[in-house]
């Protein structure tokens, strides 16, 4: 099956879901989510069956990356997008009660779940955009894919339309997102102006030639980093993250923090790669990246310390992890290949990040079903109310904090190894160590709250649906296995 | 599946089984018991003639490659040093799991209590047995979260939450510094493999790390390991943590886990960075004197038995460092043997202190009163044994090993040499023996001897169930005390090969 069928299948799947929502009378609209989950599971397995083109004459392949060397990466990021969407749909099904409360039409007689169907269909469309982004090798296709995703997110973030927090998050995301898109497009036009091409491979050659206009190229990179920095949550473009993450519906927050971030990183890897391979630019671009990485590491980790709201804490944690990813990107590449290349390290980190972050959000969704409160204190005594959820969250937090024998540790370990090996600046490494140390505190704060607090013995135990439970168990196994056998993730990179 | 893999993974599997609902105390005791037997079997059947694999036994059966570039493997092996620590760990684990579970009766969740103890034990075993630098580090961290939970949930005293945070952050930061040092070392040794045997070879043959590089890497490792082992002035987490921790955690942490820091220095830092070790030797001597003299005096000033034991445990680490710095085979052997002796004796003291707390509700000397030897004669007698062992009276393993450490410090002297810094440090350290006699004997006299307070406190003496773990530890101490050769014969060849590798001591 040709590789680009994957995106087509996903788009058709989304359309089917919309049609079912419109024309089939369903008592429980959760079934739409199950259609999506099953469809995407099929797509996930199809990822291992794709064929690559033998002739690339047609114009289409100019927009779709098919290079021998990067095929594994494209598929890996497509896989991340699909897996993430599957889990987000399962989370959404669990979360439906909360969504319903804020979108149910006030007039009597309407379907109580009216409007829920789109909540499950939209992430599938976003998934198609994310998958395309993983293969986009042309400024035009990058931009279109990016906007497909972002516009879907504008809707999803503000989905709980009778909830002020969600609306506020939606408006913030819309305004700042549109602004950053503006920067990005402007950067792209400059890049086109300098190199005379939209194709990344040609841009790379043009930037490496000696008559490149360094000042203009730097300016273009500055504009692009503003736009992409916004998407991945790099300081100083991270200001929207805490508010939007806190206000958005929890499954969408998870989607934003994993899928949107990893898609942002693959684009950043591709574009920054063009600049870094140019002898005239690499030093200055590297310095910019180092500064951004240091700022992101310090801001994300230190600002997370005093947080009292769990969701907001995870928002800062997402910034912090972006910091570690940028640290890998900013380590000037030395001898290439394997774990010495930033691309491999970043991909591994994102794979691990997917496992642990989605596990944390799954637990959060389950807890949110029984109580409004999202503060850290609300998790007090969770170990007694639901030992299973507490243990799942314990594993997620241990991995996020980077405790050995979890996937998160290997992620950080590879980043630090890369930084040392490639002679990254001491300040960058020190910022990384400070960040990791701070992480111990704010992640373990959750653990302490769950296990130490006397808690409310009267509170009900929390019921978790079977699909959520199965997903949590799979994610836990994934975290622990990848924590001992890193090849579990690395081999997927091809 | 080799016997070493069984030893490391059995506690983890047992912890999982408890999580799924197996009877907690029974499963934990079973796992610890089987591990004790396995440990002794492994020690008995180990072959140390195989020089090709760097002196590790069992390496071939228990190596599972995980990555090719860099070479990473889940590999376990046994040499003389890890053998001593293996025996220490399995003995202390059994005793720690066995000791009185009075604190869980108060606060519930036996599951958490026993799984945490088992995981700490598994972490220590994995760290001591790994022949892969990565897993040597990674296993040690397995203990971090269980310790955090146990002190916070089952700990004693008002400040237990604060204490749990202090130890976790302190050790977390220490581990990060250590990790930075280990990565630097790994990259300077070629960065192709984490296998210890290959790294030794590289360190001795192909790569000569420049002395300057060695010196800063060694400093990182010294600070990292030093924090873990509570080297002065990085000790401040330890006394509080041991005082506030529930009994088995205090036993496992002070008895076993803390030894990881020294183990790392002997196993990694000193042989791989000989020039670095030489450069910082004098600094370490000054710091270890801080441990022995300053913290020794601080120990005398303590008003609570548990804090006194915590300080004494930190203080005794000074002697171990002295043996390591001496760098001679006899000094190093003494250091490793002292790790064993101190581990068993401090676990013994914490176990008995736990029994005292269960009976009298407090460990403050003033509240405990005096003359308790009349109320609980057997507890008193056993405490006496433990105190004598800790001071280092002949007949206990502590004596044999401390003597070796002091001899080791004087061994490098030739006839007619004047005393060097090392020898002066050893002479000053000798006063530590007097200090420990002062606080131990004073504590023993205050609590167990003298007139009974009125009204007479009533308490049951140790039951047989409580006596067994304590006797196990005492027997181990006396056995090694009378026949240290049981362990020394394994230590000598292992240390000699390490010292040679390091280019002489």
């Amino acid at each position: 099956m040709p590789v680009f069928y994957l995106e087509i299948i996903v788009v058709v799947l989304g359309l089917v879901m919309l049609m079912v929502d419109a024309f089939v009378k369903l008592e429980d609209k959760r079934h739409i989510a199950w259609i999506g989950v099953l469809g995407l599971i099929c797509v996930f397995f199809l990822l291992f069956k794709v064929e690559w083109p033998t002739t690339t004459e047609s114009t289409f392949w100019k927009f779709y990356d098919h290079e021998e060397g990067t095929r594994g990466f494209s598929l890996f990021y497509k896989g991340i997008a699909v897996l993430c969407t599957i889990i987000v749909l399962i989370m959404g099904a669990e979360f439906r009660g909360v969504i319903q409360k804020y979108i149910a039409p006030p007039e009597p007689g309407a379907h109580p779940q009216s409007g829920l169907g789109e909540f499950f269909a939209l992430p599938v469309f976003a998934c198609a955009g994310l998958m395309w982004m993983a293969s986009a090798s042309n400024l035009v296709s990058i931009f279109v894919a990016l906007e497909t995703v972002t516009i879907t997110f504008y809707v999803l973030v503000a989905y709980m339309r009778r909830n002020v927090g969600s609306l506020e998050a939606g408006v913030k995301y819309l305004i700042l997102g549109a602004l950053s898109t503006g920067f990005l497009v402007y950067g792209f036009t400059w890049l086109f102006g300098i190199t005379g091409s939209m194709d990344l491979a040609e841009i790379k050659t043009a930037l490496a030639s000696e008559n490149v206009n360094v000042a203009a190229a730097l300016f273009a990179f500055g504009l692009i980093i503003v736009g992409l920095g916004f998407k991945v949550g790099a300081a100083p473009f991270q200001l929207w993250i805490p508010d939007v993450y806190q206000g958005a519906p929890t499954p969408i927050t998870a989607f934003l923090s994993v899928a949107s971030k990893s898609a942002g990183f693959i684009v950043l890897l591709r574009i920054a790669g063009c600049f870094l391979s140019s002898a005239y630019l690499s030093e200055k671009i590297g310095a910019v990246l180092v500064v951004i990485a240091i700022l992101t590491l310090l801001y994300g980790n230190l600002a997370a310390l005093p947080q009292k709201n769990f969701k907001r804490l995870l928002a800062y944690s997402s910034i912090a992890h972006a910091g570690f990813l940028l640290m890998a990107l900013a380590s000037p590449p030395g001898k290439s290949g394997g774990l010495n290349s930033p691309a491999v390290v970043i991909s591994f980190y994102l794979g691990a990040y997917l496992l642990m972050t989605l596990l944390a959000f799954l637990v959060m969704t389950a807890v949110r079903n029984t109580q409004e409160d999202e503060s850290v204190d609300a998790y007090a005594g969770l170990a007694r109310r639901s030992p299973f959820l507490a243990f799942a969250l314990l594993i997620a937090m241990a991995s996020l904090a980077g405790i050995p024998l979890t996937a998160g540790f290997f992620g950080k370990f590879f980043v630090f190894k890369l930084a040392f090996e490639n002679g990254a600046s001491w300040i960058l490494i020190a910022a990384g160590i400070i960040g990791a140390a701070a992480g111990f505190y704010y992640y373990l704060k959750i653990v302490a709250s769950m296990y130490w607090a006397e808690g409310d013995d009267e509170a009900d135990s929390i019921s978790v649906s079977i699909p959520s439970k199965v997903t949590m168990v799979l994610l836990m196994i994934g975290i622990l296995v990848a924590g001992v056998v890193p090849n579990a993730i690395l081999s997927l990179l091809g | 599946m080799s016997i070493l893999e069984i030893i490391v993974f059995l506690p983890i599997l047992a912890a999982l089984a408890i999580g799924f609902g197996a009877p907690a105390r029974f499963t934990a005791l079973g796992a610890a018991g089987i591990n004790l037997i396995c440990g002794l079997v492994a020690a008995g059947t180990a072959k140390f003639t195989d020089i090709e694999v760097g002196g590790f036994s069992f390496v071939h059966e228990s190596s599972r490659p995980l990555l090719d570039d860099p070479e990473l493997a889940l590999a376990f092996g046994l040499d003389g040093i890890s053998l001593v620590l293996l025996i220490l760990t399995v003995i202390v684990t059994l005793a720690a799991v066995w000791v009185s579970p009075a604190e869980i009766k108060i606060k519930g969740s036996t599951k958490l209590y026993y799984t945490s103890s088992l995981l700490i034990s598994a972490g220590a075993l994995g760290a001591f047995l790994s022949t892969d630098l990565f897993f040597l580090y990674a296993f040690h961290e397995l203990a971090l979260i269980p310790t955090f939970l146990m002190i916070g949930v089952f700990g004693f005293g008002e400040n237990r939450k604060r204490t749990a945070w202090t130890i976790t952050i302190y050790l977390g930061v220490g581990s990060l510094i250590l990790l930075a040092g280990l990565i630097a070392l790994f990259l300077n040794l070629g960065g192709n493999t984490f296998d210890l045997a290959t790294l030794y070879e590289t360190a001795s043959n192909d790569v000569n790390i420049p002395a300057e590089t060695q010196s800063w890497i060694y400093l990182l490792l010294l600070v990292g390991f030093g924090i873990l082992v509570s080297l002065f002035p990085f000790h401040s987490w330890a006394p509080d943590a041991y005082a506030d921790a529930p009994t088995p955690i205090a036993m496992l942490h002070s008895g076993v886990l803390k030894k990881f820091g020294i183990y790392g220095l002997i196993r990694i830092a000193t042989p791989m960075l000989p020039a670095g070790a030489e450069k910082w030797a004098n600094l370490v001597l000054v710091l270890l004197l801080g441990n022995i003299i300053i913290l020794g005096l601080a120990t005398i000033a303590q008003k609570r038995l548990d804090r006194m034991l915590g300080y004494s445990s930190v203080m005794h680490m000074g002697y171990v460092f002295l043996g390591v710095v001496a760098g001679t085979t006899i000094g190093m052997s003494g250091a490793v043997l002292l790790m064993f002796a101190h581990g068993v004796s401090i676990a013994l003291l914490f176990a008995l202190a736990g029994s005292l707390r269960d009976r009298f509700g407090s460990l403050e000397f003033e509240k405990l009163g005096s003359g308790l030897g009349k109320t609980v004669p057997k507890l008193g007698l056993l405490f006496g044994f433990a105190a004598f062992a800790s001071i280092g009276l002949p007949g206990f393993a502590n004596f044999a090993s401390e003597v070796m450490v002091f001899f080791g410090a004087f061994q490098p002297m030739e006839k007619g040499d004047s005393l060097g810094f090392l020898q002066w440090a050893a002479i000053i350290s000798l006063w530590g023996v007097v200090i420990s006699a002062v606080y131990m004997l004073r504590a023993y006299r205050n609590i167990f001897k003298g007139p009974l307070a009125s009204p007479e406190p009533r308490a049951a003496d140790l039951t047989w169930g409580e006596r067994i773990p304590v006797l196990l530890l005492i027997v181990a101490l006396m056995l090694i005390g009378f026949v240290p050769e049981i362990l020394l014969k394994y230590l000598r060849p292992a240390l000699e090969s390490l010292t040679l590798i390091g280019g002489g001591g």
Side-chain angles (χ1 to χ4, degrees), chain A residues 95-180:
Chain A
F95 200 66
R96 70 190 182 286
V98 183
I99 300 269
Q100 246 166 269
K101 196 169 122 196
Y102 291 112
I103 62 165
E107 63 268 17
H111 192 299
Q113 292 186 330
S114 149
L116 199 60
E118 292 93 326
F119 185 71
F120 300 130
L122 284 171
V124 177
F125 289 115
C127 176
L130 290 164
M131 289 168 73
W132 188 14
M133 214 190 303
S135 290
S137 63
N138 186 295
L139 293 183
V140 175
S141 54
I142 287 177
F143 185 71
V144 175
L146 204 61
E147 282 309 280
T148 315
V149 177
T150 317
I151 290 173
T152 326
F153 272 120
Y154 291 150
V155 181
L156 284 172
V157 168
Y159 207 83
M160 303 196 294
R161 59 174 177 270
R162 289 184 223 294
N163 176 315
V164 181
S166 179
L167 284 184
E168 184 196 331
V171 171
K172 274 190 183 156
Y173 188 53
L174 177 64
I175 294 175
L176 289 173
L179 187 68
S180 79

Side-chain angles (χ1 to χ4, degrees), chain B residues 86 94 105 117 125 177 194 206 217 269 303 353 400 424 472 488:
Chain B
L86 166 68
L94 181 58
K105 282 183 203 137
S117 302
L125 287 167
I177 297 172
F194 289 100
D206 318 339
I217 297 179
K303 293 191 166 50
W424 278 113
L472 174 76
L488 284 178

Side-chain angles (χ1 to χ4, degrees), chain B residues 55 93 144 146 158 168 200 210 225 268 275 294 311 326 420 427 447 486 500:
Chain B
T93 303
L144 195 69
E158 298 292 301
T168 308
Y200 286 141
F225 284 128
I268 299 165
I294 298 182
Y311 268 104
I427 290 170
I447 298 174
I486 301 176
L500 281 180

Side-chain angles (χ1 to χ4, degrees), chain B residues 480-497:
Chain B
I480 303 302
F482 281 109
V483 200
E485 190 59 21
I486 301 176
L487 294 177
L488 284 178
K489 70 172 180 221
Y490 295 116
L491 275 177
R492 232 171 272 129
L495 285 168
E496 254 155 31
S497 75

Side-chain angles (χ1 to χ4, degrees), chain A residues 238-443:
Chain A
Q238 84 301 345
L239 287 171
W240 60 283
I241 286 193
D243 291 337
V244 172
Y245 277 32
Q246 193 179 355
T250 308
I252 301 310
T253 310
F255 205 21
L256 265 178
S257 78
V258 179
S260 173
K261 188 179 300 269
S262 44
F265 262 99
I266 186 161
V267 173
L268 191 56
L269 267 175
R270 281 183 197 277
I271 296 183
C274 294
F275 283 88
L276 286 171
S277 64
S278 155
Y280 310 97
L281 296 168
S282 64
E283 208 168 296
K284 296 194 179 74
I285 301 291
V288 172
L289 287 174
V290 166
V291 171
I292 293 180
I294 292 173
L295 285 178
T296 313
L297 275 169
L298 291 180
Y299 181 85
N301 283 301
L302 298 182
L305 291 174
Q307 297 308 319
K308 300 220 179 324
N309 179 298
F310 187 27
K311 218 166 155 189
R312 210 176 169 80
L313 185 127
L314 282 183
Y316 283 101
S317 133
S318 138
I319 301 173
H321 286 284
F324 286 107
L325 289 159
L326 285 165
M327 182 172 164
L329 187 68
S331 305
K335 50 175 181 170
S336 58
L339 286 168
N340 300 319
S341 88
V344 175
V345 171
I346 287 176
S347 306
F348 180 90
Y349 201 108
L350 283 169
Y353 179 73
L354 172 138
L355 297 173
M356 54 211 193
T357 308
L358 289 183
L359 182 56
F361 276 110
L362 270 168
V363 175
M364 183 190 276
T365 310
V367 175
R368 175 71 171 81
N369 271 336
T370 62
Q371 58 191 45
E372 284 277 310
D373 196 359
E374 283 176 342
S375 67
V376 173
D377 294 333
Y379 287 76
L382 186 67
R384 291 192 196 179
R385 294 175 64 195
S386 170
F388 173 74
L389 286 180
F391 181 68
L393 199 52
L394 170 70
I395 298 275
M397 289 301 129
S399 182
L400 284 166
I403 288 177
L405 305 182
T406 61
F409 177 71
F410 263 119
K412 284 206 179 76
F413 177 75
F414 289 149
V415 169
F416 277 107
K417 177 175 160 288
L418 183 78
F420 266 103
E421 192 154 23
N422 296 346
S425 100
W426 278 105
I427 308 173
L428 180 61
I429 292 173
I433 290 180
I434 292 172
F440 275 119
Y441 173 71
Y442 61 80
Y443 293 119

Side-chain angles (χ1 to χ4, degrees), chain B residues 18-34:
Chain B
I18 293 173
F20 281 112
R25 184 170 171 82
F26 176 77
T27 316
L29 271 179
I34 296 175

Side-chain angles (χ1 to χ4, degrees), chain B residues 59-386:
Chain B
V59 168
H60 293 300
E61 303 97 286
S62 43
S63 177
R64 288 162 204 278
L66 298 175
L67 268 185
D68 295 332
D69 182 31
E71 235 176 82
L72 176 70
L74 187 58
F76 300 111
L78 198 62
D79 74 346
I81 307 170
S82 41
L83 183 141
V84 173
L85 291 164
L86 166 68
I87 306 280
L88 166 71
T89 313
V90 289
I91 291 177
V92 173
T93 303
L94 181 58
V97 173
W98 197 311
V99 289
S100 110
E103 45 256 45
I104 22 177
K105 282 183 203 137
I106 308 166
K107 290 177 194 156
S109 193
T110 44
K111 270 187 183 184
L112 182 65
Y113 190 86
Y114 285 107
T115 41
S116 301
S117 302
L118 286 173
L119 286 177
I120 293 176
S121 167
L125 287 167
F128 293 144
L129 293 178
S130 285
T131 55
D132 186 279
L133 186 62
F134 180 86
F135 282 102
L136 185 143
Y137 172 83
F139 268 108
H140 171 257
E141 298 290 283
L142 187 61
L144 195 69
I145 289 193
T147 313
F148 177 67
L149 290 180
M150 284 289 269
I151 296 181
V153 178
F154 300 106
F156 299 99
E158 298 292 301
N159 288 331
R160 64 167 191 273
K161 293 189 174 168
R162 202 192 140 89
T163 309
W165 276 118
T166 312
I167 178 174
T168 308
I169 302 284
Y170 218 130
L171 294 190
V173 171
S175 312
L176 281 173
I177 297 172
L178 175 61
L179 180 64
L182 288 179
I183 293 180
L185 174 67
F186 161 73
L187 291 172
N188 273 295
L189 288 173
N192 306 318
T193 178
F194 289 100
D195 180 47
L196 281 182
T198 322
L199 288 178
Y200 286 141
E201 219 167 285
T202 323
S204 58
N205 303 337
D206 318 339
V207 186
N208 267 322
I209 310 178
E212 212 169 290
T213 319
Q214 281 201 24
S215 118
W216 66 259
I217 297 179
Y218 190 88
L219 191 63
L220 279 177
L221 294 182
L222 182 67
V223 173
F225 284 128
I227 288 178
L228 301 184
V229 84
S230 63
L231 174 66
F232 183 85
F234 311 116
H235 63 276
S236 56
W237 58 271
D240 287 341
Y242 298 153
D244 292 353
T247 312
I249 301 305
M251 290 168 69
L252 279 170
H253 217 285
S254 66
V256 177
L257 208 63
K258 201 162 69 164
K259 307 295 178 289
F260 174 75
I262 304 270
Y263 177 72
L265 282 180
I266 296 180
R267 167 73 81 214
I268 299 165
T270 314
M272 292 187 194
L273 301 163
E278 212 178 314
K279 167 145 189 214
W280 296 105
N282 286 345
L283 175 70
V284 179
L285 283 175
V286 172
L287 296 182
L288 73 86
L289 286 178
N291 266 61
I292 294 175
I293 302 301
I294 298 182
L295 296 180
L297 294 174
T299 315
I300 296 181
Q302 296 308 311
K303 293 191 166 50
R304 277 169 47 187
L305 180 61
D306 46 5
R307 285 180 64 90
M308 190 200 89
L309 293 180
Y311 268 104
S312 98
S313 142
V314 175
M315 171 205 171
H316 277 103
M317 288 302 105
Y319 298 120
V320 185
F321 271 105
L322 185 63
V324 175
V325 176
T328 52
T329 310
I330 187 168
M332 284 249 202
S333 304
V336 179
L337 201 63
L338 185 55
M339 280 154 78
F340 178 88
H342 172 260
V344 175
S345 63
I346 196 75
L348 178 61
L349 283 164
F350 272 119
L352 292 168
S355 301
L356 269 178
R357 176 162 40 202
D358 288 349
R359 284 170 174 70
F360 303 101
S362 167
L363 286 176
E364 275 178 49
F365 290 128
E366 289 198 355
K367 287 196 186 153
L368 272 174
S370 61
L372 294 181
K374 296 188 184 90
T375 319
V376 282
K378 301 208 171 64
L379 181 56
L381 178 72
L382 293 172
F383 193 93
F385 269 95

